[in-house]
Amino acid sequence: MTIFERENFLGRNVELCDDYPSLQAMGWCGPEVGSMHVQCGAFVCYEFPGYKGRQYIMECERHSGDFQHWRNWGSHSQTPQIQSIRRIQH
């Protein structure tokens, strides 16, 4: 998956393929993610570090893997804050 700093796949971006208990510890610029693209598989994004807080399941089958705005993450999305990500293993 690729995460982007701003909505519509703009700004700084980084490609992720593993579990990240803290995006900021790996060098991400802040507590928020503006948009993301899931190339394959599925990931769980968490509001806080350490896999805590609200969870959003991001799958390549949903929206063709394109989530161009944080409001596309799910019906309960209330914030662009994503601070940890875990890959779902099948």
Side-chain angles (χ1 to χ4, degrees):
M1 91 183 300
T2 305
I3 59 173
F4 296 84
E5 183 179 25
R6 298 194 324 249
E7 300 164 4
N8 299 313
F9 316 112
L10 297 172
R12 184 175 160 208
N13 66 79
V14 67
E15 197 167 309
L16 308 172
C17 60
D18 210 348
D19 294 349
Y20 297 90
S22 172
L23 293 180
Q24 288 184 296
M26 56 140 308
W28 187 244
C29 52
E32 298 179 348
V33 173
S35 53
M36 61 182 73
H37 175 72
V38 180
Q39 290 92 336
C40 64
F43 294 81
V44 181
C45 299
Y46 298 84
E47 187 177 14
F48 301 114
Y51 313 116
K52 294 182 177 18
R54 288 187 183 92
Q55 303 171 17
Y56 307 101
I57 297 175
M58 314 305 270
E59 301 174 278
C60 63
E61 289 82 25
R62 288 183 53 218
H63 304 286
S64 299
D66 289 334
F67 299 88
Q68 67 187 52
H69 191 282
W70 61 268
R71 288 187 187 100
N72 299 130
W73 296 347
S75 59
H76 63 286
S77 58
Q78 299 176 8
T79 176
Q81 184 166 303
I82 296 290
Q83 295 188 34
S84 55
I85 295 176
R86 181 176 277 162
R87 185 174 182 196
I88 297 174
Q89 305 284 339
H90 294 291

